[in-house]
Amino acid sequence: MSRFWSPIVGTLKPYTAGEQPRIANLVKLNTNENPYGPSPKAIAAMQAAVADTLRLYPDPSALALREAIARTYGVSPDEVFVGNGSDEVLAHAFVALLKHEKPLLYPDVTYSFYPTYCRLFGIEAVDVPLNDDFGIDIGDYDRPCGAIILPNPNAPTGIGLPLSAIETLLAAHPEQPVVIDEAYIDFGGESVIPLTRKYDNLLVIHTLSKSRSLAGLRVGYAIGQRPLIDALERVKDSFNSYPLDRIAQAGATAAIEDTAWFDETRHAVIASRDRVSGALRQRGFEVLPSQANFVFARHPDHSGEALAKGLRERAVLVRRFAEPRISDFLRISIGTPEQCDALIAALEDIL
Ligand code: PMP
């Protein structure tokens, strides 16, 4: 505490991001990055932006990027909002759409930025417990609330919901904004973007950090009907009218347009995920059914803490979470086939 702090600072519980170690030869499977790297066309577009245009301010409306996203999903550019990572898009959604007199609902095990934003923005929230299989039961959200936010697939479990379940939720809460955070949707989940046509309470949020392998660039976007997108624009223009620099706009536009690279690399991740899940199960792990670029797994005979420590000693970095119900699970990001082999070899050595 310092006497210079405003009263809110002492009440914050900031999000702790996964470690970004300086040691180069670690097998880094702790922050759900994509091992294949961005589209070569995106890299070329960013190099051109650096060479030619940094003297100028970027387009505050990022129109070329919004048009590329709109073409990809069959929506109109004014139904697309872009921001500096989906964390920023989420922050604007919390302020613009999720702050109500009645509480916001989200799962008790979920992306830990949600409670962080609630503290920062003074939003009352209620945690809805996951079921015994660590899944989300949509019926549990059938209660009075101001708004709902769910990741699909959920993080850090990786378990996805079918479109029909989310449609049930949207229909049951026509007066409440429902935000679906699809950060990991491209690894086998069913996107609800088509439902934005039908439901004016739905906002879908995506990131270029995972399936487009651009975590370092910081680009995310939201898709929804005009009134929701306008709300996000109003918050953005009250905060930072240039959230995406010229390099980010050029790289993200080219990455969205390179569907061949996108499909090839995400399918490689899906294939490795299924192989890693099988290999872990063979070695006695319980592995939750993942539709993401990570698996969430625990072993009946070894604590999560011991396994993570043993892996670290063998130069493999994975993520653990402190909440008691999930503290024995490891969240393991899917790397290249060689990195996955190194993970399995290290676990064999430990078990
Ligand atoms: N939502 C979920 C569920 C996530 O796991 C993450 C990644 N930590 C994000 C959003 C944020 O991603 P980014 O800010 O890199 O777009």
Side-chain angles (χ1 to χ4, degrees):
M1 277 292 250
S2 152
R3 69 186 192 287
F4 303 118
W5 286 13
S6 76
I8 190 176
V9 176
T11 72
L12 298 181
K13 280 202 180 151
Y15 175 77
T16 313
E19 189 186 350
Q20 294 294 343
R22 292 197 184 184
I23 315 157
N25 57 357
L26 275 180
V27 177
K28 187 175 178 305
L29 305 177
N30 67 328
T31 48
N32 297 343
E33 287 134 343
N34 179 328
Y36 294 109
S39 149
K41 291 179 182 164
I43 294 173
M46 290 188 277
Q47 282 165 339
V50 171
D52 299 338
T53 61
L54 290 189
R55 186 181 66 80
L56 303 170
Y57 276 104
D59 171 7
S61 75
L63 184 59
L65 173 58
R66 285 171 38 239
E67 284 172 344
I69 294 167
R71 275 194 300 276
T72 303
Y73 294 102
V75 299
S76 122
D78 55 18
E79 293 168 327
V80 180
F81 175 84
V82 295
N84 187 233
S86 60
D87 282 340
E88 187 187 80
V89 179
L90 283 165
H92 292 346
F94 272 72
V95 174
L97 305 173
L98 304 187
K99 192 171 175 170
H100 291 268
E101 311 250 292
K102 290 189 193 147
L104 169 68
L105 305 183
Y106 51 69
D108 65 340
V109 175
T110 196
Y111 184 33
S112 36
F113 235 122
Y114 303 162
T116 294
Y117 282 147
C118 285
R119 284 199 172 241
L120 177 61
F121 301 129
I123 297 172
E124 190 204 334
V126 171
D127 297 349
V128 181
L130 295 185
N131 64 28
D132 291 344
D133 299 324
F134 298 94
I136 290 172
D137 282 338
I138 282 298
D140 294 343
Y141 290 77
D142 218 352
R143 56 171 97 183
C145 63
I148 298 170
I149 181 164
L150 297 178
N152 187 37
N154 195 12
T157 63
I159 299 175
L161 285 168
L163 179 138
S164 57
I166 295 174
E167 182 154 21
T168 304
L169 185 73
L170 291 162
H173 294 277
E175 298 309 317
Q176 283 79 33
V178 174
V179 174
I180 305 296
D181 176 355
E182 294 191 345
Y184 301 102
I185 198 70
D186 297 324
F187 301 104
E190 200 179 358
S191 175
V192 293
I193 289 176
L195 295 182
T196 58
R197 280 267 147 276
K198 191 167 162 196
Y199 293 94
D200 65 358
N201 55 336
L202 171 61
L203 188 79
V204 185
I205 298 186
H206 277 206
T207 176
L208 273 72
S209 299
K210 318 290 178 185
S211 54
R212 313 272 175 177
S213 199
L214 280 168
L217 197 64
R218 312 304 302 130
V219 182
Y221 56 95
I223 294 181
Q225 292 189 17
R226 278 288 299 278
L228 301 191
I229 298 299
D230 286 350
L232 297 178
E233 292 288 352
R234 287 175 72 112
V235 173
K236 173 210 152 216
D237 288 333
S238 309
F239 175 71
N240 174 9
S241 44
Y242 299 108
L244 289 191
D245 61 53
R246 280 185 174 270
I247 304 170
Q249 292 191 32
T253 306
I256 291 285
E257 285 171 345
D258 192 349
T259 47
W261 181 265
F262 168 67
D263 282 337
E264 191 185 321
T265 50
R266 72 194 175 110
H267 285 123
V269 170
I270 292 170
S272 292
R273 175 193 69 211
D274 295 345
R275 184 170 72 88
V276 168
S277 302
L280 292 175
R281 288 192 184 108
Q282 261 178 10
R283 287 158 183 82
F285 278 89
E286 176 192 358
V287 186
L288 301 189
S290 171
Q291 290 189 312
N293 67 338
F294 56 84
V295 293
F296 204 49
R298 65 179 168 186
H299 198 283
D301 308 326
H302 299 264
S303 73
E305 192 180 1
L307 287 171
K309 185 164 170 281
L311 285 171
R312 174 98 205 197
E313 284 160 5
R314 289 161 183 80
V316 179
L317 198 55
V318 299
R319 187 98 187 253
R320 271 186 67 237
F321 297 88
E323 291 105 300
R325 192 171 168 209
I326 57 168
S327 63
D328 274 332
F329 278 90
L330 303 179
R331 193 197 67 187
I332 306 169
S333 310
I334 299 302
T336 59
E338 297 72 36
Q339 289 176 316
C340 296
D341 290 343
L343 164 85
I344 303 295
L347 282 172
E348 264 179 354
D349 201 28
I350 297 168
L351 296 176

